[in-house]
Amino acid sequence: MTGKAADDYARSQANKSSKRDAALRRTQARQDASLKREQAIAQAKQNAANNARNNALNDKAQRNKVFRAKLGGVVGGFLKSWAVGVIIGIANSVGKSAANNAIDARAEGWENEVIKKLGLNAVAVLK
């Protein structure tokens, strides 16, 4: 093989080799792109599922928080009104007791005064 023929053959082989390499690189690039696309789709699906689950949990937690707040308000209101009622009842009881004691004392004093004024015997009046 002469020098020119050897150069042409080498050039031809280099061109064929570069075309094969380019074809392999294109195929590899397509496969890599396809794999990355599938991974991105899978990741997007997973993110969507996680977001949906988190939103559902957050909604439930918020509903529970609102319910507990309302329940606490109702229970707190009941306990306050009950406590006020108990305090008023105790105050009324104490007031009535004091008033009854005062009335009894005044009545006893009045009876004693009437007995003295009339000059009656206390033992005879009581019988």
Side-chain angles (χ1 to χ4, degrees):
M1 193 182 273
T2 62
K4 184 172 178 0
D7 287 344
D8 289 344
Y9 180 74
R11 189 175 297 119
S12 172
Q13 291 302 314
N15 283 339
K16 288 179 183 177
S17 176
S18 68
K19 287 180 183 178
R20 274 194 311 268
D21 290 346
L24 286 174
R25 283 194 299 273
R26 279 193 304 270
T27 304
Q28 186 65 40
R30 283 188 200 119
Q31 289 174 350
D32 290 346
S34 176
L35 181 63
K36 287 180 181 177
R37 186 172 48 253
E38 289 172 6
Q39 288 174 344
I41 291 170
Q43 185 64 43
K45 287 180 181 178
Q46 185 64 40
N47 288 344
N50 288 342
N51 288 340
R53 186 177 65 248
N54 288 340
N55 289 341
L57 291 174
N58 289 339
D59 289 347
K60 186 174 181 182
Q62 184 63 27
R63 284 194 305 271
N64 288 344
K65 185 176 179 182
V66 169
F67 173 74
R68 284 192 299 270
K70 287 182 180 180
L71 182 62
V74 169
V75 170
F78 170 76
L79 291 176
K80 285 178 188 174
S81 63
W82 177 78
V84 168
V86 168
I87 290 170
I88 290 173
I90 291 172
N92 282 342
S93 177
V94 169
K96 285 179 185 176
S97 176
N100 287 338
N101 289 342
I103 290 170
D104 290 346
R106 184 165 293 196
E108 187 178 332
W110 181 78
E111 287 173 0
N112 289 342
E113 189 176 322
V114 168
I115 290 171
K116 284 181 188 174
K117 284 185 179 178
L118 294 176
L120 299 174
N121 187 344
V123 175
V125 170
L126 290 175
K127 287 185 179 182

